[in-house]
Amino acid sequence: MKVTVECLGLPTLSAVIGKKTDVQVGNGASLSDLVHQITGLFGSEAREVLLDGEGQLDLTIQVMVNDEGFLAREDLPKRELRDGDRIRFMLLVGGG
């Protein structure tokens, strides 16, 4: 099954995987599975951007599937991907 991954505000990741790329995932794959698949496919540069020192999605990265809104970190392993999903990785930006 194929999903589309987009990188917004993450120039280092975009340089490695592209601003928009299709990724093949297995049936029943979760968002957590996708993150680890991307880091496996694209190596240390993708790992450095996406993962923290403990191998979890970095706290500065937000994830959105289709137009459902941002997902909480604890929901990433539970959110099963479907064929045609659009996953956006975005840099968390604060202001004031």
Side-chain angles (χ1 to χ4, degrees), residues 76 90 93:
L76 296 179
M90 293 173 264
V93 178

Side-chain angles (χ1 to χ4, degrees), residues 60 91-96:
T60 63
L91 182 63
L92 177 65
V93 178

Side-chain angles (χ1 to χ4, degrees), residues 1-95:
M1 131 178 118
K2 181 174 74 171
V3 298
T4 300
V5 176
E6 297 178 17
C7 304
L8 304 171
L10 298 163
T12 303
L13 187 61
S14 293
V16 175
I17 72 171
K19 287 189 178 207
K20 184 176 179 182
T21 189
D22 292 331
V23 177
Q24 292 290 330
V25 296
N27 289 333
S30 70
L31 275 170
S32 291
D33 296 332
L34 175 65
V35 169
H36 291 288
Q37 183 174 342
I38 289 170
T39 60
L41 286 171
F42 295 99
S44 62
E45 290 176 311
R47 256 189 311 283
E48 288 174 20
V49 174
L50 287 174
L51 302 180
D52 63 18
E54 293 156 14
Q56 300 300 312
L57 185 68
D58 193 278
L59 292 174
T60 63
I61 307 291
Q62 289 291 325
V63 181
M64 181 184 291
V65 178
N66 302 318
D67 293 316
E68 298 171 13
F70 296 117
L71 291 166
R73 296 254 180 293
E74 61 270 10
D75 292 337
L76 296 179
K78 299 179 224 171
R79 177 54 167 85
E80 192 172 304
L81 298 171
R82 295 182 294 270
D83 190 45
D85 277 346
R86 184 177 73 192
I87 295 85
R88 293 183 217 149
F89 291 105
M90 293 173 264
L91 182 63
L92 177 65
V93 178

